[in-house]
Amino acid sequence: MKKRSLCKVMLKIVILLFSVLLFGCWDYAEVEDRGYVLGIAIDMAEPLPRGQDDLEEYLSEREIEKMIPQYGEPKFAYTIQVPIVPQARMGPEGGGGDVEEDRTWDLTMTGNNFFEAQRQFATRLEYLPFYEHLQVVVINEEVARQGILPVLDLLLADHEMRRRTRVFITPGDAKSILDVVPRIDDYSSRYLERLPLGASRNSRILHETDLGQVAMSIHTGVDFGLPRVVATEDEIKNAGLALFREDKMIGWLGEVDTIWAKWVRDAVLGGTIVVDSPNEEAEIVVLEVVKANTKVRPRVADHQIIMDIEVDATFNLVEEVRYGKANIFNEDYLEEVEKLAKKRIEEEIKDTVSYVQEEYGADIFHFNVQMRRYEPDVWAKIENEWHDIFPQVMVNVNAETEIRLTGLMK
Amino acid sequence: MLKKFKQKLFSKNINRSNKNTENIVELLKAFEVFKDIDNNVAFIQNILTDSEDVVYRELMLWDRKAILIYIDGLVDRNIIENHIIRRLQNFNEESENSILTVTDVKEKILAISNPEIVKNYNEIINGLLTGESLLLIDNEQEALTLNSQGLEKRGVEEPFAEQGLRGPRDGFIEDIDDNVAAIRKRIKDTRLKVQYHTLGQRTQTKVALVYLNDKAPEHVVKEIEKRIQEINVDSIVGSASVEQLIENHKWTVFPQVLASERPDRIATSILDGRVAIMVDGTPYNLIAPGTFAMFFNSSDDYYERSIVTSIIRIIRYMSFLIASTLPGLYVALTAYHPGMLPTTLVLFITGSRVGLPLPSVVEMLLMLFTLEILLEAAIRLPKPISQTVGIVGGLVIGQSAVQAGLVSPLVVIIIGFTAITSFVFPYYTFALTNRALRIFFLIGGAFWGLFGIVIFWILLIIHLASIESFGVRYLEDFFSFKKEKLKDTFLKDGYPSLLGNAEAIKGDKKE
Amino acid sequence: MMEKELNGVDMLAFVVHGTVGIRLLTIPRDIVEIGSNNGWMSVALSAVIAFYLGFSFYWLYTKHPNLNISQIIEANLGKKIGKIIMVAIAIYIISTIGLSLRAFTDSVKMFLLDTTPRSVLVILGALPIVYGVSKGIKTLSIVLDLLLPLVILSTILLVVLASTSVDLENYRPVLHEGLMPVLKGSLQMVHPLLGIGIIGYIMPQFNEPKRVKKWIGIGVLISIGSYLAIVTLSILVFGSEETKMLIWPTISLSKAIQLETELFERAESLFMTMWIPIAFTTMVTFYYSSTLNLKVLFDSNRDHLITYGQIPLFILIAVLPNSVVDNYKYLGWVNLLAMFFAFIIIPLVIVITLFKNRRVSNEKT
């Protein structure tokens, strides 16, 4: 009995000693001690056109930004955006900051890859860079044309990164997008991150653009598009898309073509299409998309791959310029508009597909995915030559349109 | 042998020499009333030495000497004067009969409800100490103890700590007989059993077990009885000491017995098949076995509509989660996983913490500490001052600490919120439990973030599941997916289906 | 003899928790790697394995009342072979606990605590397991009952939230590579499903063994349902190609949740916290069966020694693998061991029991 209790006491002591080792705050970091990186911009390293006045007494910012890599020449310039919280207009104190002052701090560092540059920030930023709130990644066109996999590698692999971070491509300087001082929002990254939410109102916006999607496309070998952004001093415009073949950007697709590319991808959330008015020449009817479903089915006939694109769309008739003239209760009129819409959808889709096929040969419509799903046997044979075959794929579009509701405002 | 005892007893030092009360009881048990009345008086005087509140009132009963002994203050003078002394004196005038036995006195003369004929000194002394008066008659080897207790009692008042809105307004008082009567008044059933026990050698506290014979599970009643009989202590002060002496697990923050000052609460629990343990001298009476769910039910729940009550119950359970975990969760989320919070919120919190000197854990601990101090101060002080303490402490300290930039306003909000949520529970004991848990989870959250909190929660659940109170599991109401059990936990079913539902504490089938 | 204090319903929680554990986080990848986008069929098929295992344990108990599975093996295969098999069982169970603990801490390290030393996480993770087992079977049963809704709720929540990013056509092409990969894929489920072996160890504790049967069935359906939901969802959301690239597909699923409101930032951390209890419950059931197994192996009744004696073993195993990949390799070996038990030992015991029964009945007639 005595022996046992001694044993127990010993055990308890051992457990106590062990438990002391458990205490320690390895991951503890105060919320204000982290530098929340809201946005990352990736540019080419050399030309950094920034209007910095080189003061005599101080080093120019440019010189600080240069980091000598341990090996080779720096290829890219990474910019991270860290919020200056006390300056936020919508902050806890209810608008402490002046409009004049910067609300974000955009630091640039040059380096060969992001991981390297990321660690270099420690030489200039006293906070621990924290990426779990990363909203956007903006990539310069030139960088994208060289391939985004090397620059995004860390972002794709690291667990700290969210799959929801949005990726954008800009023809200009990526940094200038982050430098935008938005009029309403505090931080340009937040502003940019929320822009794609407009996709339910406008199909010029590509909305499925997060890191997860990019990773998936690259992993599964599917071509994809990323949205294009351009910026002024206090505004960003998000419309159109950059085409990617594998991980390299190969060109731009215009805003209107983006609409029709989205139609093919069954990605339309809303927006409008415009058709000619059946009544009068040179007048137009605007239709609001209520529902748009697209089915793409491959068909193989005589060594020719044909894509059957079935579109099923419902519209609201929103406005007709100079309404009152046309009788919108007239069924014939509506039928006429439906037909025009059908024609328009079919033509535009065909146009866009053939444009992409001829100009870029990038399968952003995911025809190959459909091939894999529906024609696995054929796909197994042509899998490796798909980029040669894709431009020759025939497209057969059939649209069903319906106008369900007429917008009456009287 | 007997003489030796006698000598010892009469040596006047008995109270001092025998520190062990057990011995006195044994001694007293060995003696019976002597024939000679003077011997008796001397004996009692020797037992109750230095007790000047003991009154020895000499009387003549016809031609015999009689003596009435009682302790002043414990007895009702009215009874002593009108129903005992006057009757005895009147008898002297009226009657010629000199052949008088104790039985005659008991049956014919005294106007007392239940006089008892006693012989043993143990009973006699106990009776005296509990406020009975003792009538000794010369040449009789028996004595009479007369019910003459007349302690000053508090009137029945509204329960102090356990208030309700629609329930009855009467609360228990300090007298056990009245309290038992309050239960009897509510349950007029022949199967309602009342068992008295006397606990504490010095205090001789009366304890009653009250239960419904057919509803309370036998093994539970037996277990409680056994525990109570096993109690062997010097003193019992209030029900809390009984509670601590009979509960299964000492080292837990969870109460295993519910203390209530509402007769309706105790009565409904008895109707559910639980056992009430009533202790003399306290308005807080106990219900055993106490289960986790009981502490979330207030007696008001049974007076309000069931849908509304169910919502309130769910809010109480949520409050339990919030009150125990929120401070820890705040530290875990802000210091370990700011990524889990929405971006705007994180930036908001960051903004509120910019430039604060203390780490958030320390801040939280300090504020919790302050809160505890405020609570203690407010409870101990008289009402008007305690309100001032509340205002000064809560408003002034909180407000100025934030303004001075010492603590983040969010921490103050969280502390305030947890303080409020911990008062949602109908029983103060459980609010205390919650306060202890709060610190526990704060440690978990501060050292290991969310992982620590979840691990601690698992530990807590295992702990709760392992607690057994009188053969019934503490979480009896929640496991095994029984529909009947859930009727009175998260939700409260309507009355028809609740009545006669003793499922809740049936416990393990031990038969 | 121990008191029989469990009711029939309690078996439900044991079956579900025994089978649904930390493997839920990785199983889509394991299965999709073999069965590609028909992996969901593998899971559905594995229901057969689960029912076979569940009811074999149940049937063996009805033939040998009041004996747990280790005792049954000993009784049927003789003392020597029995002990050898029990040693194998012990190795299997303890390494399963260790490796699960490792996988569990890996995921915790990945998603919740980055720089905290692994040993701390392992010890912290082991703490509730040991505490739970030391409190006895009744307590365990209550805890598992209480945590059962969590398994179902978290699965449902994940399905509901992630269903917005589902691409329904990802299930195609159907059976392009034939049935073999599907069958092979379902073998991956043997290891998690062998957790059902807890039945063999706790059956003697039930007061109405006959009622248990129904709950075994329901339990198997629930756990197969959860696995099916998760695997199908990963295939539908990511497609088979991407699923193969993910280390923790189930957590990536929660990462893919897209809501316009900012309610769940980083839902994966939220789900990770929800999965901690689920991982715990599985390990605790394994630990309990391990304790009973060792008791039979050493013919000993020294509860404390056996319960606490295993702690260093599985903690060591948990810190043994060098990396996630290493851990996978070891898990693969354990899976082989699991198949050995499921398809060799258990049928063997069943056959011998049948044989003995026949002989007894022959002798009677």
Side-chain angles (χ1 to χ4, degrees):
Chain A
M1 216 47 206
K2 225 177 185 181
K3 223 177 179 182
R4 250 198 176 166
S5 66
L6 192 74
C7 253
K8 266 189 177 172
V9 169
M10 289 286 278
L11 198 75
K12 272 173 191 167
I13 290 171
V14 169
I15 289 171
L16 265 176
L17 282 176
F18 255 110
S19 61
V20 170
L21 298 176
L22 298 179
F23 288 89
C25 310
W26 293 274
D27 288 290
Y28 189 94
E30 287 300 336
V31 69
E32 74 274 17
D33 288 344
R34 299 186 196 244
Y36 297 96
V37 178
L38 296 181
I40 296 177
I42 306 169
D43 287 297
M44 292 307 287
E46 245 339 285
L48 273 171
R50 304 199 39 202
Q52 293 282 334
D53 295 291
D54 290 1
L55 292 176
E56 294 279 313
E57 306 95 285
Y58 300 107
L59 278 174
S60 75
E61 198 176 334
R62 256 283 205 108
E63 271 171 74
I64 290 186
E65 280 166 8
K66 262 184 210 153
M67 280 312 287
I68 302 150
Q70 291 174 9
Y71 175 80
E73 283 290 306
K75 268 165 84 182
F76 305 112
Y78 294 91
T79 308
I80 58 171
Q81 180 171 56
V82 182
I84 305 171
V85 177
Q87 305 285 5
R89 277 184 296 191
M90 293 184 280
E93 303 299 322
D98 252 312
V99 191
E100 301 297 314
E101 286 184 76
D102 282 345
R103 274 168 265 149
T104 58
W105 182 12
D106 301 341
L107 297 97
T108 308
M109 270 294 172
T110 56
N112 269 321
N113 67 31
F114 184 67
F115 191 72
E116 190 188 0
Q118 201 238 99
R119 292 294 156 103
Q120 314 286 22
F121 284 125
T123 59
R124 287 169 64 202
L125 184 69
E126 74 268 44
Y127 295 113
L128 193 73
F130 184 72
Y131 293 92
E132 288 186 17
H133 284 289
L134 184 61
Q135 310 282 318
V136 293
V137 175
V138 187
I139 301 171
N140 170 257
E141 180 184 345
E142 221 174 307
V143 178
R145 282 188 189 275
Q146 292 184 10
I148 54 169
L149 199 51
V151 288
L152 285 184
D153 204 20
L154 181 77
L155 296 178
L156 293 175
D158 202 271
H159 62 91
E160 226 182 64
M161 307 302 168
R162 310 179 316 155
R163 284 182 85 90
R164 289 172 55 190
T165 302
R166 294 188 197 277
V167 185
F168 298 91
I169 309 291
T170 177
D173 270 329
K175 185 174 186 299
S176 68
I177 305 275
L178 290 189
D179 281 339
V180 163
V181 181
R183 291 185 181 247
I184 295 175
D185 222 313
D186 274 323
Y187 314 111
S188 54
S189 308
R190 294 276 299 154
Y191 167 45
L192 181 55
E193 193 264 334
R194 297 171 67 83
L195 273 181
L197 296 181
S200 59
R201 297 182 298 278
N202 194 325
S203 286
R204 290 163 195 239
I205 303 168
L206 196 63
H207 63 280
E208 284 190 339
T209 67
D210 53 29
L211 265 178
Q213 236 96 24
V214 174
M216 232 161 95
S217 304
I218 292 175
H219 287 157
T220 51
V222 177
D223 300 337
F224 57 98
L226 285 175
R228 175 178 68 179
V229 285
V230 284
T232 66
E233 198 179 325
D234 52 11
E235 241 184 278
I236 303 173
K237 180 184 172 189
N238 171 23
L241 58 85
L243 294 164
F244 282 79
R245 196 164 135 176
E246 279 152 2
D247 75 317
K248 290 189 176 62
M249 177 181 161
I250 47 168
W252 299 103
L253 200 61
E255 293 173 24
V256 181
D257 281 331
T258 303
I259 298 177
W260 300 109
K262 283 185 82 173
W263 275 87
V264 180
R265 282 291 313 278
D266 192 19
V268 176
L269 296 180
T272 55
I273 71 167
V274 178
V275 296
D276 299 325
S277 168
N279 290 353
E280 279 178 59
E281 290 292 313
E283 292 292 342
I284 56 162
V285 178
V286 178
L287 300 173
E288 186 196 5
V289 179
V290 177
K291 187 191 86 181
N293 290 333
T294 314
K295 275 187 191 166
V296 180
R297 294 285 180 274
R299 185 147 54 86
V300 184
D302 305 335
H303 298 287
Q304 177 62 54
I305 297 166
I306 305 162
M307 289 286 160
D308 286 324
I309 301 177
E310 303 267 342
V311 180
D312 178 14
T314 313
F315 300 100
N316 276 346
L317 183 65
V318 183
E319 71 178 311
E320 193 202 1
V321 181
R322 283 165 59 192
Y323 58 78
K325 276 199 167 183
N327 184 2
I328 46 173
F329 294 107
N330 186 345
E331 267 183 35
D332 291 341
Y333 172 77
L334 290 183
E335 240 168 63
E336 196 66 29
V337 176
E338 276 174 11
K339 264 186 203 156
L340 284 166
K342 171 187 162 76
K343 208 177 119 206
R344 180 139 188 99
I345 292 169
E346 287 174 356
E347 277 172 7
E348 293 282 357
I349 285 180
K350 262 187 187 163
D351 265 11
T352 306
V353 172
S354 61
Y355 173 72
V356 173
Q357 277 177 326
E358 282 159 25
E359 201 73 17
Y360 303 113
D363 184 10
I364 56 163
F365 308 112
H366 290 193
F367 288 162
N368 54 351
V369 176
Q370 299 302 336
M371 283 295 291
R372 191 166 58 213
R373 285 174 185 164
Y374 291 93
E375 298 286 349
D377 298 322
V378 180
W379 173 249
K381 279 180 227 154
I382 59 170
E383 198 176 349
N384 295 324
E385 304 138 35
W386 178 247
H387 275 122
D388 300 328
I389 294 170
F390 173 68
Q392 283 124 45
V393 171
M394 296 262 287
V395 172
N396 181 18
V397 190
N398 181 29
E400 294 288 326
T401 53
E402 187 193 344
I403 292 173
R404 200 164 59 180
L405 227 148
T406 48
L408 262 184
M409 285 182 281
K410 277 192 178 173
Chain B
M1 193 65 185
L2 214 95
K3 267 191 180 162
K4 222 179 179 183
F5 268 131
K6 235 182 226 173
Q7 274 170 0
K8 207 178 174 189
L9 206 64
F10 283 91
S11 68
K12 266 204 162 187
N13 276 330
I14 174 166
N15 280 347
R16 278 175 212 117
S17 62
N18 278 306
K19 280 191 180 157
N20 195 343
T21 40
E22 193 90 16
N23 278 356
I24 292 188
V25 173
E26 290 304 311
L27 258 178
L28 287 177
K29 273 186 185 161
F31 288 95
E32 293 194 344
V33 178
F34 308 105
K35 206 159 189 188
D36 183 16
I37 194 164
D38 294 330
N39 266 355
N40 282 327
V41 172
F43 186 82
I44 292 172
Q45 272 172 342
N46 266 297
I47 298 274
L48 301 172
T49 42
D50 298 335
S51 308
E52 287 170 19
D53 53 349
V54 183
V55 178
Y56 301 85
R57 171 77 157 84
E58 289 190 20
L59 294 160
M60 286 306 283
L61 212 55
W62 197 239
D63 56 348
R64 278 204 280 173
K65 197 171 159 191
I67 199 156
L68 183 70
I69 309 174
Y70 58 88
I71 297 177
D72 209 11
L74 288 184
V75 295
D76 188 346
R77 289 232 178 106
N78 181 33
I79 295 177
I80 298 284
E81 283 160 13
N82 293 334
H83 302 283
I84 301 175
I85 298 179
R86 181 160 299 160
R87 296 288 295 186
L88 289 171
Q89 287 172 342
N90 285 355
F91 166 80
N92 281 349
E93 292 161 16
E94 286 164 12
S95 175
E96 300 281 313
N97 191 359
S98 64
I99 309 156
L100 187 84
T101 59
V102 172
T103 322
D104 288 333
V105 175
K106 175 191 170 192
E107 286 172 2
K108 296 181 183 156
I109 306 173
L110 294 173
I112 294 286
S113 56
N114 57 339
E116 265 178 63
I117 299 176
V118 290
K119 278 181 171 177
N120 193 292
Y121 257 108
N122 188 31
E123 283 172 58
I124 289 174
I125 299 295
N126 273 346
L128 273 179
L129 291 175
T130 47
E132 287 172 358
S133 44
L134 177 74
L135 184 68
L136 290 164
I137 302 172
D138 199 16
N139 266 332
E140 292 286 341
Q141 274 197 310
E142 284 170 330
L144 267 181
T145 55
L146 312 168
N147 251 5
S148 58
Q149 282 104 329
L151 263 179
E152 277 302 308
K153 286 185 222 166
R154 188 163 63 94
V156 173
E157 280 169 25
E158 209 176 328
F160 180 70
E162 212 186 322
Q163 290 185 339
L165 291 173
R166 250 189 88 176
R169 294 249 178 271
D170 60 333
F172 283 126
I173 57 170
E174 282 78 3
D175 187 79
I176 187 170
D177 297 321
D178 290 10
N179 291 348
V180 172
I183 301 296
R184 277 271 188 212
K185 209 168 78 188
R186 285 178 165 79
I187 308 170
K188 299 173 186 78
D189 188 347
T190 51
R191 286 161 292 192
L192 184 77
K193 304 293 172 200
V194 180
Q195 271 182 31
Y196 282 113
H197 298 264
T198 309
L199 299 180
Q201 266 94 38
R202 278 186 204 278
T203 53
Q204 293 289 326
T205 312
K206 211 163 151 193
V207 171
L209 291 189
V210 187
Y211 58 93
L212 276 175
N213 204 12
D214 55 332
K215 279 206 170 175
E218 213 184 324
H219 71 270
V220 173
V221 176
K222 280 216 174 107
E223 182 72 30
I224 295 176
E225 242 177 86
K226 201 184 103 204
R227 294 272 176 78
I228 286 194
Q229 278 159 1
E230 275 170 6
I231 293 180
N232 182 16
V233 289
D234 232 24
S235 56
I236 293 283
V237 181
S239 52
S241 30
V242 177
E243 180 183 340
Q244 281 160 35
L245 285 165
I246 62 171
E247 66 189 359
N248 292 49
H249 301 263
K250 255 189 213 167
W251 300 110
T252 172
V253 288
F254 290 95
Q256 294 138 59
V257 170
L258 187 140
S260 173
E261 51 176 337
R262 295 184 68 95
D264 56 329
R265 179 75 171 123
I266 302 253
T268 44
S269 298
I270 290 173
L271 287 170
D272 275 349
R274 291 175 209 268
V275 180
I277 302 164
M278 313 188 80
V279 182
D280 198 19
T282 174
Y284 286 95
N285 291 303
L286 308 174
I287 304 168
T291 52
F292 188 70
M294 274 173 83
F295 294 93
F296 289 88
N297 303 356
S298 91
S299 50
D300 254 4
D301 293 356
Y302 300 93
Y303 305 122
E304 299 290 352
R305 308 201 53 77
S306 65
I307 294 175
V308 185
T309 315
S310 300
I311 295 171
I312 293 174
R313 287 263 174 92
I314 290 169
I315 288 175
R316 281 198 203 119
Y317 281 96
M318 275 160 46
S319 303
F320 176 68
L321 291 183
I322 294 170
S324 53
T325 328
L326 190 64
L329 196 66
Y330 170 81
V331 173
L333 283 181
T334 56
Y336 285 89
H337 321 287
M340 277 182 82
L341 299 167
T343 309
T344 28
L345 184 60
V346 166
L347 295 179
F348 175 84
I349 296 172
T350 311
S352 73
R353 279 198 52 84
V354 167
L356 292 189
L358 299 171
S360 53
V361 191
V362 178
E363 211 175 280
M364 193 59 91
L365 269 175
L366 268 181
M367 288 311 283
L368 271 180
F369 194 57
T370 319
L371 174 75
E372 299 301 307
I373 292 172
L374 280 175
L375 281 175
E376 272 312 291
I379 290 171
R380 306 294 157 226
L381 286 171
K383 245 184 196 169
I385 306 176
S386 80
Q387 277 172 358
T388 326
V389 169
I391 292 166
V392 170
L395 294 179
V396 178
I397 294 184
Q399 178 78 15
S400 45
V402 170
Q403 270 180 355
L406 276 174
V407 288
S408 132
L410 218 66
V411 168
V412 175
I413 293 171
I414 282 170
I415 292 293
F417 190 57
T418 34
I420 297 290
T421 42
S422 67
F423 294 124
V424 167
F425 313 115
Y427 301 95
Y428 182 66
T429 328
F430 211 71
L432 287 177
T433 302
N434 227 307
R435 286 202 221 162
L437 289 181
R438 209 177 288 161
I439 293 169
F440 182 65
F441 284 115
L442 183 59
I443 291 170
F447 284 107
W448 308 289
L450 263 183
F451 179 69
I453 286 185
V454 176
I455 289 289
F456 276 31
W457 258 106
I458 296 175
L459 289 175
L460 180 69
I461 291 177
I462 297 173
H463 175 67
L464 279 173
S466 72
I467 296 179
E468 207 178 342
S469 121
F470 310 104
V472 173
R473 288 285 170 162
Y474 202 46
L475 296 178
E476 192 68 38
D477 311 276
F478 298 107
F479 67 94
S480 280
F481 313 107
K482 290 220 173 92
K483 209 168 69 191
E484 297 80 28
K485 285 180 175 174
L486 285 176
K487 271 182 186 165
D488 200 16
T489 50
F490 289 124
L491 308 175
K492 193 201 75 119
D493 206 343
Y495 247 106
S497 73
L498 267 187
L499 285 182
N501 166 31
E503 185 70 32
I505 65 144
K506 233 171 213 158
D508 311 333
K509 280 177 193 151
K510 290 244 158 125
E511 298 81 40
Chain C
M1 199 56 217
M2 292 160 283
E3 276 179 71
K4 304 199 169 197
E5 36 186 7
L6 300 184
N7 300 319
V9 207
D10 297 332
M11 184 52 99
L12 177 66
F14 276 102
V15 170
V16 175
H17 284 299
T19 47
V20 181
I22 193 72
R23 281 300 289 275
L24 193 68
L25 303 190
T26 55
I27 204 81
R29 198 185 74 117
D30 300 341
I31 285 182
V32 168
E33 230 165 35
I34 298 169
S36 75
N37 55 352
N38 295 316
W40 59 276
M41 289 188 213
S42 311
V43 181
L45 265 179
S46 68
V48 178
I49 302 174
F51 278 116
Y52 147 69
L53 286 172
F55 289 117
S56 328
F57 283 115
Y58 173 74
W59 184 83
L60 281 175
Y61 177 75
T62 55
K63 294 294 164 203
H64 309 83
N66 290 333
L67 292 184
N68 67 34
I69 190 73
S70 293
Q71 288 162 327
I72 293 174
I73 288 174
E74 202 178 34
N76 278 309
L77 298 176
K79 233 173 175 158
K80 254 186 198 161
I81 305 174
K83 295 274 187 212
I84 293 170
I85 290 172
M86 265 179 266
V87 170
I89 293 177
I91 292 172
Y92 164 70
I93 298 181
I94 293 177
S95 53
T96 302
I97 299 172
L99 297 178
S100 309
L101 197 58
R102 172 53 184 262
F104 168 63
T105 46
D106 273 341
S107 54
V108 168
K109 239 175 124 58
M110 185 78 114
F111 295 101
L112 292 174
L113 298 169
D114 197 9
T115 52
T116 308
R118 170 161 295 118
S119 52
V120 169
L121 296 181
V122 167
I123 290 172
L124 267 181
L127 199 65
I129 303 171
V130 177
Y131 184 51
V133 170
S134 70
K135 287 290 178 188
I137 184 70
K138 180 71 181 169
T139 303
L140 270 188
S141 154
I142 297 173
V143 173
L144 296 188
D145 276 0
L146 285 174
L147 292 177
L148 181 61
L150 195 70
V151 180
I152 300 165
L153 275 181
S154 67
T155 313
I156 291 176
L157 190 67
L158 186 62
V159 170
V160 169
L161 289 178
S163 61
T164 47
S165 12
V166 157
D167 184 355
L168 272 180
E169 291 187 6
N170 267 336
Y171 74 92
R172 283 175 165 272
V174 182
L175 288 180
H176 178 239
E177 286 144 47
L179 211 59
M180 262 329 268
V182 174
L183 289 176
K184 270 189 191 159
S186 63
L187 287 183
Q188 284 290 319
M189 287 289 289
V190 171
H191 182 219
L193 287 180
L194 199 59
I196 214 168
I198 182 72
I199 297 175
Y201 288 98
I202 55 169
M203 272 310 285
Q205 315 266 7
F206 280 84
N207 50 26
E208 296 150 317
K210 287 216 166 131
R211 283 186 144 193
V212 165
K213 199 173 173 184
K214 175 176 130 200
W215 296 110
I216 293 177
I218 296 176
V220 166
L221 286 182
I222 290 178
S223 65
I224 292 287
S226 327
Y227 276 112
L228 193 60
I230 299 285
V231 171
T232 314
L233 207 61
S234 336
I235 293 173
L236 289 186
V237 171
F238 298 123
S240 52
E241 299 291 315
E242 171 78 354
T243 309
K244 286 176 199 166
M245 310 286 271
L246 301 168
I247 304 175
W248 312 98
T250 310
I251 294 178
S252 298
L253 261 185
S254 44
K255 272 187 163 189
I257 291 171
Q258 281 193 341
L259 291 176
E260 282 196 15
T261 49
E262 282 197 354
L263 208 56
F264 297 104
E265 203 79 12
R266 265 177 93 76
E268 71 267 28
S269 304
L270 182 83
F271 278 96
M272 193 57 231
T273 44
M274 285 177 90
W275 277 312
I276 294 172
I278 295 177
F280 150 75
T281 52
T282 313
M283 290 187 271
V284 97
T285 54
F286 269 85
Y287 190 22
Y288 187 75
S289 22
S290 172
T291 311
L292 288 184
N293 176 48
L294 289 180
K295 261 190 192 170
V296 181
L297 177 61
F298 297 122
D299 292 323
S300 159
N301 262 329
R302 296 178 67 181
D303 277 359
H304 285 282
L305 189 73
I306 288 178
T307 312
Y308 299 123
Q310 300 168 57
I311 303 172
L313 287 179
F314 66 74
I315 285 184
L316 264 181
I317 293 176
V319 282
L320 196 66
N322 288 323
S323 63
V324 179
V325 185
D326 232 19
N327 197 27
Y328 265 114
K329 197 172 71 192
Y330 294 138
L331 271 175
W333 294 348
V334 173
N335 200 17
L336 285 181
L337 205 55
M339 279 191 247
F340 168 70
F341 288 123
F343 299 122
I344 295 175
I345 299 296
I346 294 170
L348 190 66
V349 177
I350 292 176
V351 166
I352 290 175
T353 309
L354 273 176
F355 189 66
K356 276 189 177 171
N357 269 13
R358 190 166 296 167
R359 210 165 53 187
V360 168
S361 57
N362 279 351
E363 274 168 19
K364 269 181 190 167
T365 53

